[in-house]
Amino acid sequence: MSEPRGDMPTYPMMPAMPAGDIRTRGDLLDGDYAIVLEKVANKVYLALATRDMTFNGIDVRSQEPVVIKVTEHNATQSARAEAYVIQHASQSPYLPRFVELREKDGKDWLVTRHITGTPLSDLIRMSGPNGMDPVRAARLAMDVLQALKLLHGSSSASFVHRDIKPDNIIVTTETDGWEHAVLIDLETAIDPTRTLDGNIAYTLPWASPEHMNTKFLRWSSDIFSVGVCLYQMVTGRLPFGERGAMENKTMADFLRDRPDNDLVNRLNAVIRKSLNINQRDRYQSADEMLSALEWVLKAEGQHNNDWYGNGHPGIPPGPEPPADPEAVEMEAVLKGICHQYTSKRRFESVAEEVHLRCRSEVFAAFNGSRPLKVFSRCGGRKRFNAWQQKQLDKIAPFDLSNEEKRMLTENSDLMPLAFRAADLIRIARAGAAARVRSLNTLLLGFFLFSTAAVVGLVLFIILLISSS
């Protein structure tokens, strides 16, 4: 969190006051909440509905300001979905505070604490064409990354926000008077390992190239959107224009008109990496980008000791080994199983899932071989099935140790288990591929031998006929 700035207008919190002093325009949920639409004694900011079926109001029982969001019970992007995400990501100053979720009249009603502050989009507009102070921008981006750490690393699911943009970031000074950012509108968040409906949610200028397909969304997709927001904060413009990176693959010149200095160069490097079109070349986690921004600010500390309290330049984080894509995917699968099943059932389900994936590699290898398929169609189906079954029998069992069972039960770091599962799947794939190559060679040799024998027999018959 950073120090409050005088140029940031904030909307005052609704003060606690007797219910009789509150001027409301109707009530919701059996009178527990009142919609506040006008100032009360010049102390409460005018709070109209922020969008369709979202209201600012007050809890008449506790006199706390709230936001009430109502959607159809079965809506794809619903209040219930947002409540699920907030509760699983835990209460945090970087995310909306959950109050309650109530079902009434076939609708879901989500109540969260009202956040007193200013949308980041307004701050960017007020900063003018040259953008805001780079240090302030980096600190606000770090707050958003703190929120993403909670979303991406939830105990029972790994959510991707999908719609990070300045309108969905509120800058507030509610916590101890220090300025920080809060990430809102979580109804678009999904766990991509379990979302198969193809539901798309994004805002074009801030969306990554892979946002068009939920199957390709990863943590790095949110990191890209944070990079766009950070770029916009420090330059006052969008890096890929209004049509975004989906259509315009060329990024505008970063900070072209600003004085060249070490801070800008370091921040430039961080933003460029976060905005890489290639998904694998970006920061792969919120922690990774947080470390890079901490390095930027630590290095600035030699000229700005009030931030880190020392005059020593920071050390840039060393390059991390590239993440194993199969292990990352497998960890997401394991988290999905943890969420679906109870402790006893999930052990069996993990072993079964790994075994099924190994079997799938064998089937893919055999069915992808044209010589084997031709052989099967020409009368060799029984032999083809026997060869395939023999390879399936070679798949090693996936037995969980007591420590791995504990990791699954506690939803702790599942990456070691994911690496072991991915290695077993790779072994099954390599074994099947080697077996298929040997069978292809065998069939090719048999075919060539048969062809040579037939040709030889024909030539022999021709010679016999011609000699007689």
Side-chain angles (χ1 to χ4, degrees):
M1 298 180 188
S2 56
E3 291 186 71
R5 303 278 176 155
D7 57 348
M8 188 188 76
T10 57
Y11 306 147
M13 289 280 287
M14 299 178 189
M17 59 185 69
D21 293 341
I22 301 176
R23 301 174 189 172
T24 64
R25 297 287 179 86
D27 55 56
L28 298 172
L29 298 178
D30 303 320
D32 290 339
Y33 301 96
I35 305 173
V36 178
L37 294 174
E38 58 184 294
K39 293 183 179 180
V40 179
N42 296 320
K43 293 182 180 179
V44 179
Y45 186 77
L46 181 64
L48 294 168
T50 56
R51 65 167 64 108
D52 292 343
M53 300 304 287
T54 301
F55 307 97
N56 284 334
I58 194 164
D59 187 334
V60 298
R61 299 160 297 182
S62 65
Q63 300 299 300
E64 294 288 345
V66 294
V67 175
I68 304 166
K69 183 178 293 184
V70 54
T71 59
E72 295 295 332
H73 180 65
N74 58 353
T76 304
Q77 296 177 21
S78 66
R80 180 172 292 271
E82 181 167 0
Y84 178 83
V85 174
I86 294 174
Q87 287 179 298
H88 281 70
S90 77
Q91 301 280 29
S92 162
Y94 306 108
L95 292 172
R97 297 295 185 95
F98 178 82
V99 176
E100 73 165 308
L101 176 69
R102 196 181 300 185
E103 185 179 352
K104 183 178 176 63
D105 301 328
K107 293 180 172 59
D108 293 324
W109 302 74
L110 170 64
V111 184
T112 57
R113 279 288 308 277
H114 178 270
I115 302 169
T116 300
T118 305
L120 180 60
S121 52
D122 289 349
L123 289 185
I124 292 173
R125 280 192 291 269
M126 289 186 290
S127 298
N130 292 326
M132 65 174 64
D133 174 54
V135 173
R136 183 188 185 194
R139 292 174 183 173
L140 292 176
M142 290 171 70
D143 292 342
V144 177
L145 291 168
Q146 292 285 3
L148 288 181
K149 278 181 62 176
L150 296 169
L151 289 180
H152 294 170
S154 175
S155 60
S156 59
S158 177
F159 298 103
V160 177
H161 187 285
R162 295 198 293 170
D163 196 22
I164 296 174
K165 57 185 178 181
D167 281 339
N168 285 344
I169 299 169
I170 303 297
V171 180
T172 180
T173 57
E174 284 185 3
T175 305
D176 299 327
W178 291 89
E179 178 184 88
H180 69 284
V182 181
L183 183 62
I184 63 171
D185 274 10
L186 306 180
E187 73 269 15
T188 60
I190 60 168
D191 178 356
T193 64
R194 299 199 307 273
T195 302
L196 304 176
D197 58 5
N199 173 42
I200 296 173
Y202 57 84
T203 306
L204 202 56
W206 297 274
S208 68
E210 65 272 11
H211 262 75
M212 280 291 290
N213 192 329
T214 57
K215 293 180 181 178
F216 300 119
L217 286 177
R218 299 292 185 270
W219 295 347
S220 57
S221 305
D222 279 345
I223 300 301
F224 183 94
S225 300
V226 174
V228 176
C229 292
L230 181 54
Y231 184 106
Q232 193 179 5
M233 280 190 275
V234 295
T235 66
R237 60 184 185 273
L238 292 163
F240 299 96
E242 294 293 336
R243 301 301 298 168
M246 290 184 189
E247 298 186 10
N248 180 14
K249 305 299 182 185
T250 304
M251 186 168 62
D253 190 10
F254 170 59
L255 289 181
R256 180 179 53 192
D257 300 322
R258 299 187 68 119
D260 188 20
N261 58 57
D262 291 340
L263 172 64
V264 168
N265 289 338
R266 290 189 296 271
L267 197 56
N268 184 2
V270 173
I271 294 177
R272 284 194 180 278
K273 182 169 182 178
S274 68
L275 293 180
N276 201 299
I277 296 296
N278 189 334
Q279 196 172 6
R280 293 186 179 183
D281 292 335
R282 296 177 213 145
Y283 297 108
Q284 297 300 302
S285 68
D287 260 331
E288 196 177 340
M289 189 173 177
L290 263 172
S291 297
L293 288 174
E294 285 173 358
W295 164 64
V296 170
L297 294 183
K298 276 186 179 180
E300 178 65 8
Q302 59 185 321
H303 305 296
N304 186 13
N305 292 349
D306 61 346
W307 172 242
Y308 279 95
N310 61 67
H312 301 289
I315 300 174
E320 295 185 7
D324 183 345
E326 290 188 61
V328 172
E329 181 202 357
M330 198 66 220
E331 185 189 40
V333 171
L334 296 178
K335 287 184 177 181
I337 293 174
C338 287
H339 178 72
Q340 285 181 305
Y341 298 102
T342 60
S343 297
K344 288 185 179 180
R345 181 75 178 93
R346 74 174 55 148
F347 304 148
E348 302 171 7
S349 301
V350 165
E352 182 182 359
E353 175 67 24
V354 175
H355 187 66
L356 287 175
R357 285 178 176 248
C358 290
R359 289 176 62 86
S360 176
E361 296 291 346
V362 174
F363 283 118
F366 273 77
N367 294 329
S369 169
R370 183 170 294 179
L372 286 176
K373 286 198 291 187
V374 171
F375 173 74
S376 176
R377 291 170 184 168
C378 294
R381 167 63 64 180
K382 188 174 180 180
R383 174 58 59 185
F384 174 90
N385 289 338
W387 286 339
Q388 185 172 254
Q389 187 58 48
K390 186 176 180 180
Q391 193 61 38
L392 290 172
D393 293 338
K394 289 183 177 180
I395 297 175
F398 188 77
D399 298 321
L400 294 167
S401 66
N402 290 333
E403 175 63 19
E404 287 169 338
K405 290 180 179 179
R406 183 191 65 76
M407 290 161 57
L408 286 170
T409 304
E410 297 177 359
N411 293 325
S412 56
D413 182 16
L414 300 181
M415 187 54 77
L417 181 60
F419 268 112
R420 191 164 77 84
D423 284 340
L424 183 61
I425 293 168
R426 271 193 288 265
I427 291 171
R429 181 190 307 141
R435 179 61 174 161
V436 166
R437 282 195 300 270
S438 65
L439 292 174
N440 286 342
T441 303
L442 175 65
L443 291 176
L444 181 60
F446 180 79
F447 173 76
L448 292 176
F449 176 81
S450 301
T451 302
V454 170
V455 171
L457 181 61
V458 170
L459 290 176
F460 179 73
I461 294 173
I462 291 174
L463 286 174
L464 285 178
I465 295 174
S466 62
S467 64
S468 61

